Amino acid sequence: MKQFQYTVTDPLGIHARPAGMLVKAAKALDSTVTIAKEDGSSAVATKLMAVMGLAIKTGNTVTVTLEGGDEEANAASLEQFFKDNV
């Protein structure tokens, strides 16, 4: 299991466009990806409505957990995705 934390900087938070891009990026990985908010709510990152249902706003810190597959490479890839898009 590999984890990293990220504080959302997008002025609109994780809304439809970045959520869709996140789902697409997570589906391309061979790891199971879970995204969790500080309040304990979480969602599997391959499910668009679940990710949007988290209502992640600007300034929220999320914990991204990857399990299975090449966790190191997948975590690095996903962390870069967050920096570039969220």
Side-chain angles (χ1 to χ4, degrees):
M1 178 173 71
K2 180 80 175 154
Q3 288 185 324
F4 67 88
Q5 291 189 325
Y6 182 78
T7 301
V8 177
T9 58
D10 187 302
L12 299 174
I14 300 183
H15 56 93
R17 184 189 54 78
M21 293 168 56
L22 172 60
V23 168
K24 185 175 181 180
K27 283 183 178 180
L29 303 176
D30 61 348
S31 296
T32 300
V33 181
T34 306
I35 185 168
K37 286 176 58 175
E38 294 169 317
D39 67 4
S41 58
S42 65
V44 176
T46 55
K47 302 198 180 291
L48 179 62
M49 296 310 291
V51 172
M52 290 182 62
L54 292 174
I56 299 168
K57 306 290 182 203
T58 305
N60 287 158
T61 299
V62 295
T63 301
V64 180
T65 305
L66 296 95
E67 295 185 61
D70 187 354
E71 294 170 354
E72 289 293 326
N74 291 341
S77 170
L78 207 53
E79 194 163 6
Q80 188 61 49
F81 168 84
F82 271 85
K83 290 176 184 174
D84 293 343
N85 300 291
V86 186

